[in-house]
Amino acid sequence: GENVEQHPSTLSVQEGDSAVIKCTYSDSASNYFPWYKQELGKGPQLIIDIRSNVGEKKDQRIAVTLNKTAKHFSLHITETQPEDSAVYFCAASGGGKLIFGQGTELSVKP
Amino acid sequence: ETGVTQTPRHLVMGMTNKKSLKCEQHLGHNAMYWYKQSAKKPLELMFVYNFKEQTENNSVPSRFSPECPNSSHLFLHLHTLQPEDSALYLCASSLPSGGLHEQFFGPGTRLTVL
């Protein structure tokens, strides 16, 4: 079955810097890769997703890149702000079942 | 608000108790999910329902019993739990699973088993 590895587990950046979180997956049939943000006391919320027919997608300060050959995808956050502090999860899906990474706790210091 | 509500938000129970978690979605979705979130571990899928039918049971112990009376409501019945079952239990919903659809999560129920 699918296995998703996420790195790093914790990430601390200064406000205004960029943050990058990386994930690898094992099942070459996976074709949907969402990223979720989980704030304290809340459930995960989708922030961006990418499908396998696209290599890159951007939404304001957030971008995701996908390398299907290498089976890895990354989340890029530019101009980080304190409100970006949260736990971020990547996931991969090949048939409606999402397999999540272990999560990255991002801390943005003012 | 995501349109998915869960009650109760916090629950403390003994190993011999019976309790139920409730999830309700107001998004018109047809698929509902239960996940377990433990500290330092990935979200673990427990059950999937599509159009009220269970389509996935991810080798979950029988002390967890799901129920989906309609497409808007999902329950997780708990009995004779173990301390290691303490975790955050998340409910989610989406358009029918099997496609590439966003899952909307509720805030979760924080369960502590004494």
Side-chain angles (χ1 to χ4, degrees):
Chain A
E2 177 66 277
N3 182 50
V4 177
E5 296 287 333
Q6 182 173 346
H7 298 281
S9 57
T10 60
L11 180 59
S12 182
V13 300
Q14 286 294 133
E15 183 178 359
D17 288 350
S18 296
V20 180
I21 304 171
K22 299 182 178 182
C23 289
T24 60
Y25 62 98
S26 60
D27 188 351
S28 56
S30 289
N31 53 8
Y32 175 59
F33 307 91
W35 286 88
Y36 283 83
K37 175 183 180 182
Q38 187 174 23
E39 297 175 323
L40 203 60
K42 297 183 178 181
Q45 280 196 279
L46 182 77
I47 54 171
I48 195 167
D49 57 15
I50 191 167
R51 286 160 171 74
S52 58
N53 58 346
V54 177
E56 184 173 357
K57 184 176 179 181
K58 190 173 181 180
D59 183 4
Q60 299 183 344
R61 297 186 296 108
I62 295 173
V64 58
T65 58
L66 171 65
N67 183 327
K68 284 213 72 181
T69 303
K71 289 190 280 189
H72 66 70
F73 56 113
S74 300
L75 177 71
H76 305 253
I77 306 174
T78 58
E79 300 171 28
T80 53
Q81 301 166 4
E83 52 265 38
D84 294 328
S85 296
V87 180
Y88 292 80
F89 293 94
C90 64
S93 172
K97 181 176 168 179
L98 284 179
I99 304 299
F100 285 84
Q102 298 91 328
T104 296
E105 185 174 0
L106 174 64
S107 175
V108 180
K109 298 181 178 180
Chain B
E1 295 298 326
T2 63
V4 181
T5 58
Q6 290 187 245
T7 55
R9 294 293 310 275
H10 301 272
L11 179 62
V12 179
M13 59 187 289
M15 290 190 286
T16 58
N17 291 159
K18 287 186 179 181
K19 297 285 184 184
S20 295
L21 310 185
K22 179 183 176 182
C23 175
E24 184 173 0
Q25 58 95 1
H26 310 274
L27 301 168
H29 291 158
N30 300 112
M32 296 189 78
Y33 311 78
W34 279 117
Y35 287 89
K36 177 183 179 182
Q37 185 175 31
S38 305
K40 308 297 184 186
K41 293 178 72 175
L43 275 74
E44 300 172 56
L45 180 65
M46 300 174 72
F47 302 103
V48 181
Y49 279 82
N50 276 282
F51 297 94
K52 303 187 297 178
E53 298 297 320
Q54 187 181 122
T55 54
E56 182 92 26
N57 177 336
N58 203 22
S59 302
V60 180
S62 59
R63 58 186 184 270
F64 295 91
S65 175
E67 179 189 1
C68 188
N70 54 61
S71 292
S72 299
H73 294 85
L74 185 65
F75 295 89
L76 188 62
H77 304 298
L78 316 171
H79 64 97
T80 58
L81 293 192
Q82 304 298 311
E84 59 264 31
D85 296 322
S86 299
L88 182 68
Y89 288 85
L90 291 161
C91 173
S93 72
S94 75
L95 293 172
S97 69
L100 308 181
H101 303 300
E102 175 183 356
Q103 291 185 19
F104 292 77
F105 285 84
T109 294
R110 174 68 62 186
L111 174 67
T112 302
V113 182
L114 301 176

